[in-house]
Amino acid sequence: MKLITAIVQDKDSNRLSNIFIDSNVRATKLSTTGGFLKSGNTTFLIGIEDERVDEVLQIIKETSSTREQFMAPPVNLDVSMDAQVPFPLEVQVGGATVFVLPVEEFHQF
């Protein structure tokens, strides 16, 4: 048995949750925040049999897309007002960060 921890962008979480339900994958959904843009994320905790790990990883990979997003660079207040105001930068966000860990024991009460 394995524990899969998958961190995805909020924009992908509902669709991923629905696919997990359709695929009979039990997942606990947690609301989390973090990352480069300090944006909303969703963390899924999934206990799954060893033989289904690849299936779950494929579902996550196909559902969690990357996208381009604009962000405003932080303003440095130590510079004079004559300095140029930074323009928004286009960065790539999304996708998924996934950890697969072995589970020594599993109990469901």
Side-chain angles (χ1 to χ4, degrees), residues 89-108:
L89 300 172
E90 190 173 23
V91 295
Q92 188 176 35
V93 297
T97 301
V98 181
F99 302 92
V100 180
L101 305 167
V103 174
E104 191 171 316
E105 289 186 43
F106 172 78
H107 302 280
Q108 189 171 11

Side-chain angles (χ1 to χ4, degrees), residues 28-105:
T28 299
K29 185 176 171 181
L30 305 171
S31 178
T32 55
T33 303
F36 178 62
L37 300 177
K38 294 181 176 51
S39 59
N41 296 316
T42 299
T43 300
F44 288 93
L45 301 176
I46 306 155
I48 199 77
E49 299 83 8
D50 290 347
E51 58 272 5
R52 294 195 66 198
V53 169
D54 289 337
E55 172 192 351
V56 172
L57 292 176
Q58 189 62 34
I59 290 170
I60 295 167
K61 183 177 181 179
E62 291 173 357
T63 309
S64 305
S65 58
T66 58
R67 56 187 65 81
E68 300 296 319
Q69 179 175 322
F70 286 97
M71 72 160 281
V75 176
N76 185 353
L77 299 176
D78 292 337
V79 297
S80 71
M81 295 304 270
D82 295 336
Q84 291 183 348
V85 176
F87 289 99
L89 300 172
E90 190 173 23
V91 295
Q92 188 176 35
V93 297
T97 301
V98 181
F99 302 92
V100 180
L101 305 167
V103 174
E104 191 171 316
E105 289 186 43

